[in-house]
Amino acid sequence: MRGIALLVVAMLLTACAGVPTVTERRATADALAAGRDWQAMVLSVGRFDLVAYLPARIHEADTLTIYIEGDGLAWLSSSTASSNPTPVNPVGLKLALAHPHGNAVYLARPCQYLDTTADACPRRYWTGARFAPEVIDASNRALEHFKARFGASRLILVGYSGGGAVAVLLAGLRDDVDHLVTVAGNLDPQAWAAHHHITPLYGSLNPAERAQRLTGVRQTHFVGGRDRVIPPVLTEHYPAAIRGIEGRNLHLVPEFDHRCCWAEEWPRLYRSALP
């Protein structure tokens, strides 16, 4: 990953010093979830085990909202991948816990919150192959599991950052997604890599190249006006199938960056997208 600007590195990466351990990061997520009476579970789907958080008490309903986490701690420096991608700041989980109404579930990405020394979690799945076909397949199987568990027939997908790419790819595979929502989403990883002058995500699918599969899916894509990781200029590269007519699917929030203040304002933003 050559030539990336120092400011972008500061936004994208976390320096080694002071990074919480995996155990501490898991404890943070557990504490956040417990505060809302949610609990963790592990799903074996495809070639992965995926961690999810969901309410301790389940009430069946027709619609289920599934939140998909971002890339987490993928890199420690511009040339050193993390040994474990568990998020330091699990924004996707915070969004799920702030869900304003109806049933919701949080789905982590492969290898997050788990022991990554096992062969099931090669490092490529949080670096270049983070959106690989087998990643999307496992996530799709998880959606089927939760759809049955909650007795739902329709889904709303909400993806944060890299989880936005996963959500777009999943929505393109299914016919039961009522609304696709992304928050600071990386919806064109190829354009993102070119913008930051970093190595493309070889081994990953590009949601922008599969956007035609979204025909008929309602979409809302929140973009932070101060986001240096996924800057607003990248939306210019999105195909019409994502942007919508005259960009009506894009919702710019001028004062927000990549992390602030999505979770804090989420109930209001969610209701504005899905009145």
Side-chain angles (χ1 to χ4, degrees), residues 66-72 87 91-93 95 106-110 112 130-131 135-136 139 143 156-171 180-189 201 207 220-221 230 258:
I66 298 183
Y67 289 79
I68 304 171
E69 186 57 84
D71 296 338
V91 175
L93 176 58
L95 291 173
Y106 164 81
L107 183 63
R109 304 274 293 285
Q112 292 180 350
R130 66 187 71 175
F131 310 131
V135 170
I136 305 308
S139 301
L143 265 56
I156 297 169
L157 301 183
V158 182
Y160 167 69
S161 191
V166 176
V168 170
L169 291 164
L170 288 171
L180 167 65
V181 182
T182 68
V183 179
N186 189 357
L187 308 189
D188 190 341
L201 300 182
T220 303
H221 304 292
I230 312 292
H258 196 62

Side-chain angles (χ1 to χ4, degrees), residues 154-155 157 167 171-172 174-181 211 213-221 241-242 249:
R154 309 299 301 172
L155 297 175
L157 301 183
R174 307 181 64 90
D175 60 5
D176 57 358
V177 176
D178 272 353
H179 206 128
L180 167 65
V181 182
R213 301 184 181 190
L214 300 176
T215 302
V217 178
R218 290 191 299 161
Q219 301 175 58
T220 303
H221 304 292
I242 288 178
N249 294 339

Side-chain angles (χ1 to χ4, degrees), residues 227-239:
D227 194 336
R228 301 290 185 89
V229 180
I230 312 292
V233 68
L234 290 180
T235 64
E236 298 173 5
H237 298 273
Y238 296 168

Side-chain angles (χ1 to χ4, degrees), residues 6 23 26 30 32 78 80 85 95 125 130 141 146 149 151 158 184 187 189 210 214 227 235 241 274:
L6 291 178
T23 299
R26 279 197 297 254
D30 286 343
L32 288 169
S78 59
T80 304
L95 291 173
Y125 288 121
R130 66 187 71 175
R141 295 181 188 218
F146 286 118
R149 185 170 184 143
V158 182
L187 308 189
R210 294 171 174 246
L214 300 176
D227 194 336
T235 64
L274 294 91

